[in-house]
């Protein structure tokens, strides 16, 4: 280009300088879409899952999971769904078998004390962080901090913890803590319980800073089935990447479809066929004016040559790729996509899918139940034995469980405590509410039951009671919507 400019006139030099400047302008999509989830790749995920027994791989998978939880709405919903699915309703069951030896007064007192201990723990709230961390990180490491009037569990950094033993008495997992944590974070030692401060003081100068935390207050939960804890939903990480990729492709495609290129051609054929017919100053000014007048989504170029624009057919792009990737994501989690706003299928299939989810998530709840019973046994000295039992109740099956329990109650089974628990009552509060309503306020004597199918005579009601919408089939719902069973 420089040799060509030296052989031309001053006007031609100006032309070439202008065109050379134009050639350096890159016309591209200004909106370079990216996502927070794209800081890692599918290869990163596959390699870490392949080496899941490595502490480095476990740490990397935890980091990916933690980022996804806040960067991906689908992943956050999936984690919250499984981790917090169960309502943690519970009852207290007796374990004493020799009924003849029971002192009713002492038995009731110890039952109430056991109930108060459980209620103070507030398991439906206190264990929420532990349940979430178990799914996000693959494991939760904590230490209970009970006080006279309260109870909470201090979460430990999973990067400084590892599952290291199993308690032979109850089968609970135990963990070791890397006390070099305090070498790097010396100001945090005062926020830890006294047990940790003593162990850290004893570990000074030692090469191995890993120490087993053997205490009834130590708690270790995991969603993994072995001693290599990884995030419970790590199998859907690639699905999250696919959703982000298709979203970016969709945005880029929409941007391209709404973008235009404005061209103006410089006429040629002055003294020679290669001479411009307009002065450089003239078309330079017009070019600048056109740039100023053009909208943001339009590019402007000036050239002595014809410019052909190649357009990709809009119809060749499947705009539903994001939807397909989202449905595939839920399929990979094992949860029904119907729960999260995708196309409806059948209520029966959804019901059985939810049942599978409830069964899978209940394993973590059972570990919490096991720890709570072991903890209470370690701090109490009751003559009569009781057991905390967490019911398999969720936000989705509570009504079904209540209905089932009511049928059993009508058949004489002792399930009244279970019904009260499913209604959200704690054992002591249920007893006190019954005492308040029946003995103090005498509500059964002053309240008149509302009219219902159970209180009406056969001449006052026609037909059987209508089913709940949740119990209807797809055909039944269609019939109800169309009022097909109504009299003409």
């Amino acid at each position: 280009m420089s040799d060509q400019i030296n052989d031309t006139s001053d006007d031609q030099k100006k032309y070439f300088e202008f065109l050379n400047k134009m050639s350096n302008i890159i016309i591209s999509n200004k909106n370079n879409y990216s996502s927070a989830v794209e800081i890692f790749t599918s290869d990163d995920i596959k390699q870490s899952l392949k080496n899941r027994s490595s502490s480095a791989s476990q740490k990397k998978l935890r980091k990916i999971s933690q980022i996804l939880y806040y960067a991906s709405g689908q992943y956050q919903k999936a984690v919250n769904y499984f981790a917090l699915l169960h309502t943690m309703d519970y009852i207290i069951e007796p374990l004493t078998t020799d009924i003849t030896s029971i002192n009713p007064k002492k038995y009731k007192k110890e039952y109430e004390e056991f109930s108060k201990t459980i209620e103070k723990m507030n398991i439906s709230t206190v264990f929420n962080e532990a349940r979430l961390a178990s799914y996000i990180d693959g494991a939760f490491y904590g230490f209970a901090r009970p006080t006279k009037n309260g109870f909470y569990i201090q979460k430990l950094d999973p990067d400084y913890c590892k599952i290291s033993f199993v308690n032979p008495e109850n089968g609970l997992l135990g963990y070791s803590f890397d006390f070099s944590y305090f070498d790097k974070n010396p100001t945090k030692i005062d926020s830890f319980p006294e047990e940790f401060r003593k162990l850290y003081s004893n570990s000074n100068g030692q090469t191995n800073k890993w120490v087993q935390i053997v205490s009834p207050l130590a708690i270790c939960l995991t969603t993994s089935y072995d001693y290599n804890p990884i995030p419970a939903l790590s199998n859907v990480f690639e699905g999250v990447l696919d959703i982000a990729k298709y979203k970016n492709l969709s945005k880029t495609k929409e941007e391209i479809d709404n973008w235009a290129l404005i061209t103006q051609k410089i006429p040629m054929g002055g003294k020679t066929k290669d001479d411009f017919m307009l002065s450089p100053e003239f078309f330079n000014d017009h070019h600048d004016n056109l740039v100023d007048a053009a909208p943001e989504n339009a590019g402007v170029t000036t050239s002595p040559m014809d410019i052909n624009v190649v357009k990709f057919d809009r119809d060749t792009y499947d705009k539903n790729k994001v939807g397909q990737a989202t449905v595939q994501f839920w399929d990979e989690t094992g949860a029904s996509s119907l729960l999260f706003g995708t196309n409806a299928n059948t209520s029966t299939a959804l019901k059985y899918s939810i049942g599978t989810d409830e069964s899978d998530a209940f394993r973590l709840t059972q570990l919490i139940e096991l720890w709570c019973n072991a903890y209470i046994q370690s701090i109490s000295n009751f003559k009569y034995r009781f057991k905390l039992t967490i019911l398999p109740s969720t936000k989705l099956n509570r009504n079904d469980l209540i209905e089932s329990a009511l049928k059993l109650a009508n058949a004489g089974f002792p399930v009244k405590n279970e019904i009260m628990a499913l209604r959200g009552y704690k054992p002591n509060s249920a007893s006190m509410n019954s005492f308040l309503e029946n003995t103090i306020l005498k509500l059964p004597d002053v309240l008149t039951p509302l009219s219902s199918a159970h209180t009406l005579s056969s001449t006052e009601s026609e037909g059987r009671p209508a089913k709940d919408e949740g119990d209807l089939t797809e055909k039944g719902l269609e019939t109800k919507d169309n009022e097909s069973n109504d009299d003409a």
Side-chain angles (χ1 to χ4, degrees):
M1 175 68 77
S2 60
D3 294 339
Q4 188 176 6
I5 293 177
N6 291 332
D7 295 337
T8 59
S9 63
D10 291 339
D11 284 346
Q12 286 179 315
K13 288 181 180 180
K14 293 180 181 179
Y15 286 123
F16 285 119
E17 288 173 357
F18 174 78
L19 294 176
N20 187 49
K21 181 180 70 173
M22 288 292 300
S23 68
N24 291 328
I25 299 176
I26 300 176
I27 300 173
S28 63
N29 183 6
K30 297 178 183 178
N31 295 319
N32 185 19
Y33 297 109
S34 61
S35 170
V37 305
E38 294 179 291
I39 61 175
F40 49 87
T41 66
S42 295
D43 289 338
D44 294 333
I45 297 170
K46 292 175 182 176
Q47 190 64 29
S48 297
L49 288 173
K50 182 180 179 180
N51 301 319
R52 63 190 302 267
S53 60
S54 162
S55 59
S57 294
Q58 293 172 15
K59 183 176 181 179
K60 187 167 188 175
L61 289 170
R62 281 196 301 269
K63 187 67 174 177
I64 293 173
S65 182
Q66 291 163 5
I67 293 172
L68 288 184
Y69 185 75
Y70 294 103
S72 167
Q74 286 88 0
Y75 186 73
Q76 186 177 92
K77 282 181 179 292
V79 169
N80 290 349
Y81 169 67
F82 282 105
L84 306 179
L85 180 60
H86 287 273
T87 54
M88 304 292 283
D89 300 325
Y90 65 88
I91 60 174
I92 296 173
E93 294 185 299
L95 294 179
T96 303
T97 56
D98 186 3
I99 299 177
T100 59
S101 66
I102 293 178
N103 180 325
K105 187 175 181 180
K106 184 174 179 59
Y107 190 84
K108 180 181 179 182
K109 182 178 180 180
E110 290 199 351
Y111 172 84
E112 291 174 348
E113 289 297 320
F114 192 97
S115 300
K116 289 178 183 178
T117 302
I118 295 293
E119 289 182 22
K120 187 177 74 171
M121 292 172 65
N122 192 18
I123 63 174
S124 61
T125 300
V126 168
F127 280 92
N128 279 351
E129 183 180 16
R131 294 156 74 189
L132 284 170
S134 296
Y135 272 86
I136 296 173
D137 299 333
F140 173 80
Y141 308 93
F143 201 86
R145 306 290 298 272
T147 61
K148 182 179 180 181
N149 299 314
F151 182 92
Y152 87 99
I153 299 175
Q154 182 173 352
K155 179 185 177 184
L156 305 180
D157 190 335
D159 290 346
Y160 291 85
C161 299
K162 64 180 179 181
I163 299 173
S164 58
F165 66 98
V166 178
N167 188 324
E169 295 182 0
N170 49 38
L172 287 169
L173 295 175
Y175 63 88
S176 295
F177 184 77
D178 182 3
F179 279 83
S180 66
Y181 173 84
F182 298 116
D183 295 339
K184 302 171 185 176
N185 305 277
T187 60
K188 294 187 177 182
I189 184 68
D190 293 333
S191 66
F192 277 69
E194 183 179 356
E195 289 90 340
F196 279 75
R197 294 197 293 270
K198 288 181 178 179
L199 288 171
Y200 178 62
S201 177
N202 295 335
S203 68
N204 281 339
Q206 295 182 9
T207 303
N208 184 10
K209 295 294 184 72
W210 286 97
V211 179
Q212 287 187 353
I213 308 301
V214 183
S215 168
L217 300 175
I219 176 170
C220 177
L221 304 173
T222 180
T223 53
S224 298
Y225 287 88
D226 56 16
Y227 303 125
N228 300 314
I230 60 173
L233 301 180
S234 54
N235 60 313
V236 303
F237 287 174
E238 289 189 81
V240 177
L241 287 181
D242 288 341
I243 293 174
K245 178 180 68 176
Y246 286 127
K247 280 184 177 179
N248 289 346
L249 287 174
S250 178
K251 289 179 180 179
T252 302
K253 181 65 170 62
E254 291 296 327
E255 187 74 15
I256 292 173
D257 287 340
N258 292 299
W259 194 78
L261 177 64
I262 301 174
T263 66
Q264 54 183 0
K265 186 177 180 181
I266 308 170
M268 302 184 69
K271 296 179 180 179
T272 67
K273 63 179 181 179
D274 294 331
D275 288 339
F276 296 105
M277 297 179 67
L278 301 175
S279 67
E281 293 78 13
F282 182 83
F283 68 70
N284 194 359
D285 290 341
H286 279 272
H287 175 86
D288 292 339
N289 291 337
L290 187 56
V291 169
D292 294 336
E296 290 185 359
N297 61 337
V300 177
T301 184
T302 301
S303 171
M305 296 161 286
D306 293 329
I307 296 178
N308 294 321
V309 179
V310 178
K311 294 192 67 176
F312 293 95
D313 188 355
R314 176 189 288 266
D315 294 336
T316 62
Y317 177 74
D318 187 353
K319 300 180 73 173
N320 198 35
K321 287 294 185 182
V322 175
Q324 293 175 4
T326 303
V327 171
Q328 182 177 347
F329 167 85
W330 293 118
D331 289 342
E332 289 172 351
T333 66
S336 173
S337 58
L338 304 181
L339 289 168
F340 304 96
T342 58
N343 295 331
N345 195 345
T346 64
S347 58
T348 303
L350 175 60
K351 183 176 181 179
Y352 284 113
S353 174
I354 293 172
T356 302
D357 300 339
E358 292 167 345
S359 177
D360 291 341
F362 195 55
R363 178 177 173 272
L364 180 62
T365 305
Q366 290 174 313
L367 291 177
I368 295 174
E369 175 190 296
L370 184 63
W371 183 88
C372 289
N373 282 312
Y375 164 72
I376 295 174
Q377 185 177 351
S378 70
I379 64 170
S380 60
N381 186 26
F382 294 124
K383 176 181 179 181
Y384 303 109
R385 294 185 62 197
F386 301 95
K387 175 192 175 187
L388 166 74
T389 299
I390 301 177
L391 302 175
S393 56
T394 69
K395 303 169 186 176
L396 305 173
N397 72 1
R398 253 181 171 177
N399 289 336
D400 291 338
L401 291 178
I402 290 175
E403 184 179 346
S404 175
L406 285 172
K407 291 179 181 178
L408 292 174
N410 290 332
F413 285 84
V415 291
K416 293 183 179 64
N417 283 333
E418 184 175 327
I419 295 172
M420 290 187 291
L422 292 169
R423 288 294 303 160
Y425 290 110
K426 303 297 186 290
N428 271 338
S429 62
S431 298
M432 293 307 300
N433 276 331
S434 297
F435 174 74
L436 177 65
E437 290 185 2
N438 299 326
T439 305
I440 304 299
L441 301 178
K442 300 184 183 302
L443 294 182
D445 299 333
V446 299
L447 292 180
T448 303
L450 297 174
S451 297
S452 68
H454 299 286
T455 60
L456 294 175
S457 65
S458 59
T459 59
E460 294 175 301
S461 62
E462 297 181 0
R464 68 179 183 182
K467 284 186 175 182
D468 293 334
E469 288 191 2
D471 297 328
L472 294 175
T473 62
E474 294 297 319
K475 187 66 177 178
L477 288 171
E478 181 179 347
T479 300
K480 183 175 182 178
D481 292 338
N482 296 333
E483 300 181 348
S484 303
N485 287 336
D486 290 352
D487 293 334

